[in-house]
Amino acid sequence: MGSPWQPLLLFSAITVVSDVALAVGVRPISYAALLRMKADSSSSPLGPRGRPQQHHGGQHHGGGPALPDWSVFASHPHPAMNLPDPQEDHTSQESQELGLVFIREPEDVIFPLSGDGNNNVVMHCEARGNPPPTYSWYVNGTKLDVEAHLRYKLIHGHLVVANASQSVDSGKYQCRAHNAFGAALSRDALLQFAYLADFSKKSRGGVSVREGQGVVLMCSPPPHSPEIIYSWVFNHFPSLVAEDSRRLVSQVTGNLYVSKVQPSDVGSYICLLKNTLTNARVLSPPTPLTLRTDGVMGEYEPKLEVTFPSSLSAAKGVTVTLECFALGNPVPTITWRKLNGNIPKKARLRKSQALLEIPDIQLEDSGTYECKADNPRGGVTFKGLLQVYASPEWVKKMEDRRVDSGETLQWECKATGRPRPTYRWLRNALPLTSQGRIEVVNGQLTIHQVQPADSGVYQCVVENTHAALYANAALTVLASPPVFLANAVRVMATLGKDVSMECKARASPRARMTWQRGERRIQPSRRFLLQRNNTLKIVNASRADEGEYVCRAENQLGWAEMSAILWVKEAMRVEVSPSSVEVTVGESVVLSCKVSHHTSMDLTFLWTFNQQPITFKQAGGHFDYIHTVRAEHTSTVDLMIRSILLMHAGKYACKAHTSAETVAAEAELLVRGPPGPPGVAIVEEISATSASLSWRRGLDNHSPISTYQLQARSPFSMGWHSVQTDPESVTGDLEAAMAVQLNPWVEYQFRVVASNAIGTGDPSAPSRGVRTKEAVPSVAPAKVSGGNGRRHELVISWEPVSEEFQNGEGFGYIVAFRANGSRGWKEKMVTCADSASYKYRDETFPPLTAFQVKVGVYNNKGDGPFSQVVIIHSAEGEPREAPSDVKASAISSSQIKVTWTPPHPGPGRPRGFEVSSWKDTEKEESGWKQRTLKNETSMVLGGLEGNTGYFIRVRGFNNIGQGPASDTISAHTTKAPPLQPPSNLLWIQEGNNVSLSWDPVKAKDNESEVIGCY
């Protein structure tokens, strides 16, 4: 069935069209207002195809206060009750679309001219505005006629100067952007050209001075831009004059200064210039320097030839270089000081102190600087004032403003700078001064009773002698008749409750609002209240209040009306409320909610948790509504909470909402679960093996705490572990206990875990790290053993005691031993806690002497226990006997097999054997040695030469050393086999038989005889 409100909505649309047409037709609209309507179609009261424009918020239509997320339970959207403020809707949109804002402004350019003719300069300018701006340019204050000059071209605001030249195109450039709303000027930009002319070809005269006299060689640079780098060539390029305490090339004048001429200075000097931007270089004609023959110049006092200006200005943040150099004999020494303070620490002295360089100069670096030149004949000083200026910087800039016609506008801009900046104002790129309604006082602009003609682009220009800044802002003077976004709304009220009907229209100047019912204007009374925001409030609504109410908005430019249809219905009631319930973690529960309501009302439900709407998709699957039942006058919604967690405890509310009212019912869900974490564990006392702990009781989560468990961790443990306690069982009513059986001198952290009938909770925050006190060691070394080593050595080894069981500082080992059968113990201290062995050497005891050994521990607190006594033998010594019955026989031309009989078993038994072999024509040192892997009694020597005699002998070895060698024996390798193969092979086949014949091989003298073929 169709909606009963369709005729009313159609009537509303028609009313809007007629009202707007009437408003526009009755009163003239200002230029500013028409401009806004053209620039922003969305500001029109009619949307596409003449329909009233709709603004949607959530599930409701037409505006009004934003509602919570009712969409989960809504059957279909319900009509709205109130209207948004149309004037507020369009504020941000229009402010973005009107006025002019520079996106890119022209910047200072130094353009390097090239000889290939590609000298096209681009000065950038780009602005944003609606409608899009057009552009014009000014050069040195004069408007540039781009159309009349073929060399100039505008591309989207950017000015392209073709075939630019220094003589015609240098100067200050400024961009002007303008559209139907206004105009704005960019900042100034200076266009310069980089060039370097040639020196004059005219030869230069020579300079002749006495030895010891000072001299200045003039550079006289040709025209150039910008600054250049000076250097001087001595005799031939690239031999450059080296600057030192005697010579300086001034980067200000370009001249070469020599404080005291020496014979080595005689020669030809050429001034070399380099343009840093173009890298162009030019050389001056040479200047010869010669020595006079009428004597040597005597000593004389310094004479300053290079100084910095007596008054110098520099921009904040740049690097300032002050030059100071003097002629004199002996060569003067240059020193610097600041008269009204200290020279900045960041300053650097360069070129034998002739240059004082101050980087990143700041205002506090201003002051009088003095340089002094001294030598034994006297001294001379120079002072100069350095002033640091700062270009203007914004402190406060103005912003775009939208002002109703007739109101007062105030703008303010502030900036800092040195010298103090001045202010001037522009409107649409033209100067603005105080006159009539306009007051200009430095950085403040006031316009009284603004009018539509005042709309435009305003600029605050702040400048000092060094730079200027421009700030732009748009002024929009609003002038329009009243407009409602919708001309008819339906308002639903609840019987016996208050109802409010808003009346908001977009108008400038602000409209006067009145309410009427039928032909009678509504006057304020006890039941009808007219509020400040033009809202009509009806107290204790009854059925007699139903009907049509009209709000009329009117200003100097026109009027408009809005109708509100009021319906009064019976109040909703909650018939079944959700019940408070107790559950355990992991269980599920269903909360029910049943509401009675009028059948004509569209009803939506909302479940909240602790006053926040439940977002079902983001709740991790714990929440769901299981069914919605709609009877003739009632609706029911159930909320299911699955696999409940502790975090789900709280207040749940069921809210039923219509366009007229909202009713709610609340229930509390109590969740039982494992305890929460106790308060942080605090270590009250600490001893060598125990720690007294206390903590604060945590939440029991509705199930009494039964026990606490103390846990600890140390650098030696694998994470947290339970510790023994006193009392042995820590019951839930305690908030203190003692951790016992701890290790001394170990750093521990402690925490507490609570348990109840439901489970074990999260642990407390860990305590601060504490170290138990020191104690005498209680753990003896394990795995005491030994053996091996060198002759007369007793080697004792053990497994080091872990730091966890060292029990204090100064930990070490006591190694005790005695020969088996003797009475007294020898004790040796091993002070390194990481040691794992000890060696004792005594030349008097024989190999393999048996010793009783035990290893104890100690620290600063005293001696600890010893290990059990073990028997360890001293080292056995090197082998004492040589192998016997050594034999050697040739196997082939490259191999000899050696065999031997090992010596008798006993002390110094070998661990293997070493075979030495060498040619009978050489010495033993030139031979080679090979060792067996184990106690083998034979070895094959390989890689030998054929038909060669070898000497061989064998000796045993072990870990201690080598034993005596056997007697030397000899062996001779056989001759090598013939190298040439048989020749003249011949195959003869007779039936099934094949015969093969060849010529015999004859062995050479160094080859063995042929005994057969295969």
Side-chain angles (χ1 to χ4, degrees):
M1 182 176 179
S3 169
W5 294 102
Q6 287 179 350
L8 176 59
L9 294 175
L10 178 61
F11 173 74
S12 300
I14 298 172
T15 307
V16 171
V17 176
S18 62
D19 286 349
V20 172
L22 180 61
V24 175
V26 172
R27 300 284 181 94
I29 300 179
S30 69
Y31 170 77
L34 285 174
L35 175 63
R36 285 198 304 277
M37 293 174 67
K38 291 179 180 178
D40 180 11
S41 61
S42 65
S43 65
S44 170
L46 299 182
R49 302 179 184 269
R51 294 193 303 268
Q53 184 175 357
Q54 299 294 318
H55 291 255
H56 303 287
Q59 290 287 333
H60 60 291
H61 293 243
L67 297 175
D69 181 10
W70 305 94
S71 57
V72 175
F73 305 110
S75 57
H76 54 81
H78 60 275
M81 182 170 66
N82 299 320
L83 288 173
D85 185 350
Q87 187 165 343
E88 293 175 359
D89 276 355
H90 293 266
T91 300
S92 60
Q93 187 174 0
E94 291 190 28
S95 63
Q96 293 174 358
E97 295 186 350
L98 296 179
L100 292 168
V101 177
F102 281 104
I103 300 174
R104 190 173 185 183
E105 296 186 73
E107 298 178 349
D108 293 345
V109 175
I110 302 178
F111 186 81
L113 292 172
S114 62
D116 58 5
N118 186 22
N119 293 323
N120 296 336
V121 180
V122 180
M123 302 298 287
H124 294 285
C125 182
E126 185 179 359
R128 181 178 66 244
N130 191 358
T134 56
Y135 302 88
S136 56
W137 282 82
Y138 291 80
V139 181
N140 297 324
T142 303
K143 185 176 182 179
L144 188 65
D145 191 350
V146 177
E147 301 295 334
H149 297 81
L150 297 179
R151 289 196 310 116
Y152 301 115
K153 187 174 182 180
L154 270 180
I155 302 177
H156 303 301
H158 307 297
L159 175 65
V160 180
V161 183
N163 301 321
S165 69
Q166 186 268 339
S167 58
V168 177
D169 299 310
S170 297
K172 285 187 177 182
Y173 284 69
Q174 192 171 29
C175 172
R176 181 178 184 271
H178 48 96
N179 62 9
F181 188 74
L185 290 176
S186 73
R187 61 169 174 248
D188 292 333
L190 183 63
L191 173 60
Q192 298 174 283
F193 292 85
Y195 63 93
L196 178 59
D198 288 325
F199 278 98
S200 169
K201 301 299 182 182
K202 183 178 179 181
S203 62
R204 299 189 174 189
V207 178
S208 183
V209 296
R210 290 190 180 95
E211 181 182 346
Q213 186 179 353
V215 70
V216 179
L217 301 183
M218 311 297 288
C219 179
S220 303
H224 60 271
S225 177
E227 298 301 322
I228 53 180
I229 297 176
Y230 296 91
S231 53
W232 282 77
V233 177
F234 180 57
N235 288 333
H236 302 287
F237 186 82
S239 176
L240 299 179
V241 173
E243 297 179 78
D244 50 27
S245 61
R246 200 170 57 84
R247 292 171 293 194
L248 174 73
V249 176
S250 171
Q251 294 302 317
V252 177
T253 64
N255 300 334
L256 171 62
Y257 299 86
V258 183
S259 63
K260 176 186 174 182
V261 175
Q262 298 176 353
S264 59
D265 296 326
V266 173
S268 179
Y269 289 83
I270 301 170
C271 184
L272 171 62
L273 309 184
K274 178 184 177 182
N275 190 310
T276 56
L277 208 61
T278 64
N279 287 325
R281 302 182 186 217
V282 294
L283 295 169
S284 72
T287 300
L289 176 64
T290 60
L291 288 181
R292 292 169 56 176
T293 60
D294 55 352
V296 177
M297 185 74 175
E299 293 184 354
Y300 65 96
E301 63 188 16
K303 177 187 177 184
L304 284 173
E305 286 289 346
V306 180
T307 59
F308 52 96
S310 58
S311 181
L312 174 65
S313 295
K316 175 183 173 183
V318 303
T319 297
V320 173
T321 302
L322 306 180
E323 292 185 342
C324 184
F325 192 78
L327 310 184
N329 187 7
V331 175
T333 300
I334 306 296
T335 57
W336 294 85
R337 71 183 181 120
K338 185 180 180 185
L339 298 188
N340 52 348
N342 297 323
I343 291 179
K345 292 182 179 180
K346 59 189 174 183
R348 300 185 293 266
L349 291 172
R350 298 177 52 236
K351 297 187 178 179
S352 300
Q353 304 192 134
L355 270 60
L356 175 63
E357 189 174 88
I358 309 174
D360 189 24
I361 197 162
Q362 300 298 313
L363 298 178
E364 59 269 20
D365 298 329
S366 300
T368 301
Y369 288 79
E370 177 188 88
C371 76
K372 184 177 182 181
D374 277 303
N375 71 5
R377 306 298 292 183
V380 61
T381 61
F382 177 83
K383 300 181 183 66
L385 177 62
L386 173 61
Q387 294 178 308
V388 180
Y389 67 83
S391 299
E393 294 182 2
W394 287 116
V395 175
K396 180 179 181 181
K397 293 194 290 186
M398 56 200 199
E399 298 179 348
D400 292 350
R401 292 286 301 277
R402 297 169 54 81
V403 180
D404 286 333
S405 177
E407 293 186 356
T408 297
L409 166 75
Q410 283 190 328
W411 259 325
E412 182 181 19
C413 61
K414 287 183 180 180
T416 59
R418 191 174 186 182
R420 181 177 296 176
T422 59
Y423 300 85
R424 57 189 175 91
W425 290 81
L426 305 176
R427 180 174 65 192
N428 294 330
L430 298 176
L432 187 65
T433 57
S434 296
Q435 57 178 348
R437 298 178 294 105
I438 301 174
E439 294 180 18
V440 176
V441 180
N442 292 326
Q444 291 186 334
L445 170 64
T446 304
I447 304 178
H448 300 279
Q449 296 181 348
V450 294
Q451 300 174 1
D454 296 324
S455 295
V457 178
Y458 288 74
Q459 292 179 282
C460 175
V461 185
V462 56
E463 55 194 342
N464 61 15
T465 54
H466 304 287
L469 295 177
Y470 289 72
N472 296 12
L475 172 61
T476 304
V477 179
L478 304 174
S480 63
V483 175
F484 290 100
L485 288 184
N487 277 44
V489 294
R490 182 182 68 166
V491 179
M492 306 298 294
T494 301
L495 186 65
K497 294 187 178 181
D498 299 346
V499 62
S500 295
M501 293 180 285
E502 290 185 341
C503 180
K504 291 185 178 180
R506 183 173 52 150
S508 183
R510 193 174 298 275
R512 186 179 75 258
M513 305 289 191
T514 58
W515 282 90
Q516 64 184 42
R517 185 180 182 187
E519 299 297 327
R520 182 173 59 86
R521 181 174 176 176
I522 298 177
Q523 299 296 332
S525 65
R526 289 184 304 171
R527 292 191 62 244
F528 290 86
L529 306 179
L530 295 177
Q531 300 178 329
R532 283 189 175 183
N533 59 356
N534 303 310
T535 296
L536 174 62
K537 182 176 182 180
I538 302 176
V539 178
N540 191 18
S542 65
R543 296 200 182 276
D545 298 322
E546 289 184 331
E548 181 182 13
Y549 293 78
V550 176
C551 175
R552 180 183 177 91
E554 185 174 1
N555 68 5
Q556 303 94 300
L557 301 179
W559 58 269
E561 291 182 344
M562 181 201 74
S563 297
I565 309 299
L566 176 62
W567 282 12
V568 181
K569 301 297 181 183
E570 293 286 342
M572 286 193 298
R573 296 191 316 277
V574 178
E575 294 189 355
V576 178
S577 300
S579 302
S580 297
V581 64
E582 289 188 14
V583 295
T584 301
V585 168
E587 295 180 347
S588 300
V589 69
V590 175
L591 302 179
S592 295
C593 182
K594 182 178 182 181
V595 176
S596 64
H597 58 93
H598 195 276
T599 55
S600 64
M601 304 293 285
D602 293 321
L603 178 68
T604 57
F605 280 87
L606 174 69
W607 279 94
T608 64
F609 172 46
N610 291 335
Q611 300 182 349
Q612 297 297 321
I614 296 175
T615 306
F616 289 86
K617 293 181 180 179
Q618 300 176 0
H622 291 283
F623 294 99
D624 199 2
Y625 68 98
I626 55 177
H627 62 277
T628 301
V629 178
R630 293 185 181 274
E632 183 178 355
H633 295 285
T634 62
S635 296
T636 302
V637 170
D638 293 339
L639 173 68
M640 170 173 273
I641 310 174
R642 296 188 177 92
S643 303
I644 289 175
L645 304 175
L646 287 173
M647 60 183 289
H648 295 142
K651 293 184 177 180
Y652 289 81
C654 166
K655 294 185 178 181
H657 175 80
T658 68
S659 59
E661 63 178 322
T662 299
V663 295
E666 190 175 77
E668 184 167 4
L669 180 64
L670 190 148
V671 180
R672 295 184 301 267
V680 62
I682 299 174
V683 180
E684 304 288 354
E685 291 185 32
I686 192 78
S687 71
T689 59
S690 64
S692 296
L693 306 177
S694 66
W695 60 89
R696 287 190 176 182
R697 184 183 186 85
L699 297 175
D700 63 7
N701 290 325
H702 310 292
S703 178
I705 297 174
S706 56
T707 59
Y708 288 103
Q709 185 183 60
L710 272 57
Q711 295 180 342
R713 68 177 174 185
S714 71
F716 313 106
S717 64
M718 299 294 290
W720 293 94
H721 61 92
S722 297
V723 296
Q724 298 295 320
T725 60
D726 183 14
E728 186 174 349
S729 176
V730 183
T731 56
D733 58 336
L734 297 178
E735 294 185 13
M738 180 179 292
V740 297
Q741 298 184 18
L742 304 177
N743 290 326
W745 199 240
V746 172
E747 184 171 303
Y748 286 96
Q749 279 184 296
F750 299 94
R751 69 183 187 183
V752 183
V753 181
S755 299
N756 60 14
I758 298 173
T760 299
D762 294 329
S764 69
S767 71
R768 62 182 177 88
V770 293
R771 185 182 285 272
T772 51
K773 297 185 181 301
E774 294 180 279
V776 174
S778 57
V779 176
K783 298 183 180 178
V784 178
S785 61
N788 296 326
R790 298 183 177 275
R791 177 188 287 272
H792 307 301
E793 280 186 353
L794 173 63
V795 178
I796 304 169
S797 61
W798 60 89
E799 185 177 276
V801 176
S802 168
E803 184 181 352
E804 182 180 7
F805 303 106
Q806 292 176 6
N807 292 6
E809 290 185 320
F811 181 84
Y813 300 95
I814 304 172
V815 181
F817 54 92
R818 65 184 179 187
N820 204 4
S822 62
R823 299 186 63 180
W825 290 89
K826 288 186 178 181
E827 292 188 350
K828 299 295 181 181
M829 309 289 286
V830 179
T831 59
C832 179
D834 296 328
S835 295
S837 65
Y838 173 76
K839 292 181 181 180
Y840 175 72
R841 183 174 182 83
D842 189 339
E843 299 287 344
T844 62
F845 58 75
L848 294 178
T849 300
F851 284 87
Q852 290 180 309
V853 178
K854 59 182 180 180
V855 182
V857 290
Y858 73 93
N859 62 16
N860 290 346
K861 286 292 184 178
D863 295 347
F866 277 90
S867 67
Q868 292 183 349
V869 177
V870 297
I871 302 298
I872 300 176
H873 290 83
S874 63
E876 60 182 347
E878 66 272 8
R880 297 183 181 183
E881 297 182 13
S884 60
D885 195 22
V886 179
K887 298 178 180 179
S889 59
I891 299 177
S892 65
S893 61
S894 61
Q895 292 179 319
I896 293 176
K897 183 176 182 181
V898 183
T899 62
W900 60 88
T901 300
H904 298 293
R909 57 186 178 276
R911 305 296 183 191
F913 295 91
E914 182 180 87
V915 179
S916 301
S917 60
W918 66 96
K919 292 181 181 179
D920 56 7
T921 59
E922 298 176 351
K923 294 183 178 181
E924 182 178 0
E925 291 76 12
S926 63
W928 61 95
K929 301 175 182 179
Q930 299 182 56
R931 287 189 171 187
T932 62
L933 296 178
K934 295 181 181 179
N935 277 323
E936 293 95 343
T937 58
S938 66
M939 177 182 291
V940 174
L941 305 179
L944 308 178
E945 295 183 10
N947 195 25
T948 304
Y950 287 89
F951 290 129
I952 300 167
R953 60 184 178 184
V954 184
R955 56 162 50 95
F957 69 89
N958 60 16
N959 294 335
I960 306 303
Q962 292 181 337
S966 67
D967 294 335
T968 301
I969 63 170
S970 63
H972 201 282
T973 56
T974 62
K975 292 182 180 181
L979 295 179
Q980 53 191 1
S983 58
N984 297 325
L985 292 175
L986 181 63
W987 294 82
I988 300 174
Q989 182 174 0
E990 297 179 355
N992 294 329
N993 298 323
V994 175
S995 61
L996 174 66
S997 65
W998 62 85
D999 292 342
V1001 176
K1002 185 177 182 180
K1004 297 180 180 180
D1005 293 340
N1006 62 345
E1007 296 177 343
S1008 58
E1009 293 296 329
V1010 177
I1011 60 175
C1013 298
Y1014 65 92

